[in-house]
Amino acid sequence: MSIETAIETAIDQVIEKAKKYLPEKDVEFLFRAYKFARKAHDGQIRKSGEPYIIHPIAVAGILIDLQMDAVTIAAAFMHDVVEDTDVTREEIADAFGVEVANLVEGVTKLGRIKFKSKEQQQAENHRKMFLAMAKDLRVMLIKLADRLHNMRTLKHLSEAKQRQISDETLDIFAPLAHRLGIASIKWEMEDTGLRYINPQQYYRIVNLMKKKRAEREKFIEGVIETMQEKLQEIHIKAEISGRPKHIYSIYRKMVKQNKEFNEIYDLLAVRIIVDDIRDCYAALGIVHTLWKPMPGRFKDYIAMPKANMYQSLHTTVIGPNGEPLEVQIRTAEMHRIAEYGIAAHWAYKEGAKVGGEDSFETKLSWFREILEWQQDTKDAQEFMESLKMDLFADLVFVFTPKGDVIELPKGSVPLDFAYRIHSEVGNRTIGAKVNGKIVPLDHQLKTGDIIEVLTSKHSYGPSRDWLKITKSSHARNKIKQWFKKEKREENVAKGRESVENELRRNNFEPKEVMLPDNLQEVASKFNFQGEEDMFAAVGYGGITGAQIATRLTDKLRKEREEQMSNVTEMKHEPPRRRRPDNGVSVRGIDNLLIRFSRCCNPVPGDDIVGFITRGRGVSVHRQDCLNLQSCSEEDRARLIPVEWDADLKHEYNVDIEITGHDRSGLLNEVLATVADTKTNITAVSGKSDKNRVAKINMTIAIQNLDHLHKVVERIKKIRDVYSVRRVMNT
């Protein structure tokens, strides 16, 4: 198939799907957006070798599957044109309207602004995206579709890039898809992310699931047949299907509960979709009549919906043959919301205001708070940490004395509850009762607790210690706002003192750097009106004294570094008329001090080169050493040829890293295998991560490269060892 044919086929399929639910004028609007994007991206190629336009078509297709409105899909076609082409926001606004232009601008990254680090840039990109999303949630839906297609095409990128993007997806985007209730996107992101983050565990689970697939399918067929028969007897129409557990959910259970695959029993699940809520509870009764329910495994998310609007009945029963069986029961509308989340309720879509617009906005009130948070958070990375804490943490559901449900991050205390009720209630809090008993303010709340806040008009307001015990960003923000307004003079003095202490701690005299011009310049960089606003922000905790001190000393530190480099001169060791005894010689010279670099640990057989150091003779590096590859042209002039002696009888330390599946006895097997090769071990350490991947770092004494290869090959043959690599310390 030609490239042109592939593009035409892709856009035809997308447009055909759009025709099924959009009016003709909207479909024409979409096609015009596609033509605009195709012209803008003409000549651009993706890493996969495909024309770039394939990506926007795929993103639009994902949103059409969610049955989004025409404005959102048009913006999806053009979501990269401002960032990657010469097209401006104004051109999009003129051709397609301000609403489309705003969505495109919200998705566009901060690619043209320079940042100090990749981490800062990433945090700033996310901050901008979330703020745009708080104004119009369709920005996030486009971004999720964009990220999902990028995950589908990760195989064309380098391994490092695959891991970086997958980490970010599992950290930010999959939790967001979950919070927005879009299960169809969430699960695919998580499974794909796991495949690149931990491929060994991913494919291990896949293979184990394949082995029992036929057995599981037969079991599920029998269960469905029995259920269908019983439901028909009481005239309930139901669509029943088997639901395979997602790979990531199995993996998470293995990690969190420290279990092996064969110890996880609820791999089998059945979903029952009925016409109305009454039938949901009737079907539940039938299930519990057929099989015995497991204690503590029933959840009613219909009476108590999740924060992401998810509704369903969940129960686990002891099914046929004594195997645990999970059953989910819901209506067709609930199922649509479970799969598409916020997209199923979209307020811009005609007829989609389920429960009314006020109800819709109430369910998403947690998102509107993002606008409040960012006003008092100058640092993008701090903003993202706060966001992760509130939006992506596990939740607890507690009650007011009147029975209203309040949702809080797991680990929240009564103060978090008080500030969620109202900021004035929080500021005047003097105590709390949980389930009728007085508790300290740092008491951790549990789901189902009934909270009563004790307040006093004579309260002196929040304590600074409250910032340490509150869990939610909402509460911390309100506390910071109080200090900001009520105690400005105290904050200015405290902030100035904090900055001065930071400067002294780093060997700078405050009077050297706290000059009026320097203070004003740094205040402007952090978007403060003047130095008093900046010091006040440090005082109430809006920014740290260390951040200000670092910026204030930028120029002085550079000057000191230049002075140090100017006075550093080449020092020479006194001549030593002896042959070096380390197995390496410099051609034509035999009186130099020679040492082996720790960054790459060369051994006989490696291609090596010498580097003339300042005052420490010649350091010997491998020719492929990363430190040499990144050195400047000036430093390259100090490289000299060196060679191994012919009659070598030395041993050389080499660092290796062994990665494998964490299991009992793995380290002992590795140590025994190395000992069998008559190789000395000079250092060893090991650790295991949350993914149950073990890493063993070992320093061994090697005679030459052949010796090293022999040891590595022996280790690789050990069961559950994934890889063995030689470590270079950069």
Side-chain angles (χ1 to χ4, degrees), residues 196-333:
Y196 290 104
I197 292 290
N198 194 341
Q200 295 90 355
Q201 285 284 44
Y202 174 85
Y203 288 110
R204 182 167 172 255
I205 294 170
V206 168
N207 290 331
L208 289 168
M209 288 178 75
K210 278 181 183 176
K211 288 178 184 177
K212 292 191 175 183
R213 178 174 293 170
E215 183 184 323
R216 280 202 313 272
E217 287 176 353
K218 186 178 179 182
F219 177 88
I220 290 292
E221 282 171 15
V223 167
I224 291 173
E225 191 177 325
T226 304
M227 283 185 185
Q228 198 70 265
E229 189 180 307
K230 291 293 182 181
L231 290 171
Q232 283 172 0
E233 286 178 11
I234 60 170
H235 310 293
I236 291 179
K237 290 181 181 178
E239 181 186 322
I240 309 177
S241 59
R243 185 182 69 86
K245 279 275 187 180
H246 292 277
I247 295 164
Y248 188 77
S249 67
I250 295 171
Y251 164 76
R252 288 282 296 161
K253 189 165 285 191
M254 289 168 65
V255 171
K256 283 182 108 176
Q257 299 177 12
N258 196 26
K259 290 183 175 180
E260 289 293 337
F261 180 85
N262 56 10
E263 296 178 278
I264 296 175
Y265 297 106
D266 55 347
L267 295 172
L268 306 172
V270 169
R271 182 174 290 142
I272 303 174
I273 298 176
V274 295
D275 290 339
D276 54 39
I277 292 176
R278 184 185 61 186
D279 288 348
C280 287
Y281 289 99
L284 176 69
I286 292 294
V287 171
H288 283 180
T289 302
L290 285 169
W291 301 291
K292 187 177 180 180
M294 290 178 67
R297 295 298 297 270
F298 171 66
K299 294 183 177 68
D300 187 345
Y301 293 120
I302 293 179
M304 183 95 57
K306 288 186 178 182
N308 61 9
M309 300 174 282
Y310 176 88
Q311 286 184 289
S312 187
L313 296 176
H314 287 198
T315 186
T316 302
V317 296
I318 304 297
N321 307 324
E323 288 198 46
L325 173 69
E326 185 184 310
V327 182
Q328 297 177 355
I329 308 168
R330 62 181 71 148
T331 66
E333 177 62 18

Side-chain angles (χ1 to χ4, degrees), residues 431-448:
K433 287 184 179 180
V434 175
N435 303 325
K437 296 180 180 178
I438 291 179
V439 297
L441 291 179
D442 62 355
H443 173 82
Q444 286 199 3
L445 305 178
K446 300 188 295 293
T447 293

Side-chain angles (χ1 to χ4, degrees), residues 20 51 64 101 160 176 191 242 255 297 319 341 388 395 397 457 487 540 563 653 682 718:
K20 291 179 181 177
I64 286 172
L176 254 174
D191 282 359
V255 171
R297 295 298 297 270
K388 285 182 191 178
L395 302 174
F397 298 91
K457 291 181 180 178
K487 299 190 175 183
Y540 69 74
Q563 289 171 0
N653 283 341
T682 58
I718 298 172

Side-chain angles (χ1 to χ4, degrees), residues 363-411:
K363 286 173 180 174
L364 294 168
S365 59
W366 53 272
F367 240 45
R368 305 302 172 198
E369 291 174 0
I370 293 172
L371 285 173
E372 283 185 42
W373 300 346
Q374 69 93 24
Q375 289 169 3
D376 290 305
T377 307
K378 301 296 180 184
D379 181 70
Q381 285 169 307
E382 183 189 341
F383 172 79
M384 283 307 301
E385 286 305 313
S386 298
L387 192 71
K388 285 182 191 178
M389 190 192 314
D390 256 21
L391 297 192
F392 309 147
D394 291 335
L395 302 174
V396 293
F397 298 91
V398 296
F399 296 89
T400 68
K402 293 181 179 179
D404 295 327
V405 180
I406 303 293
E407 161 199 322
L408 295 167
K410 189 174 182 180

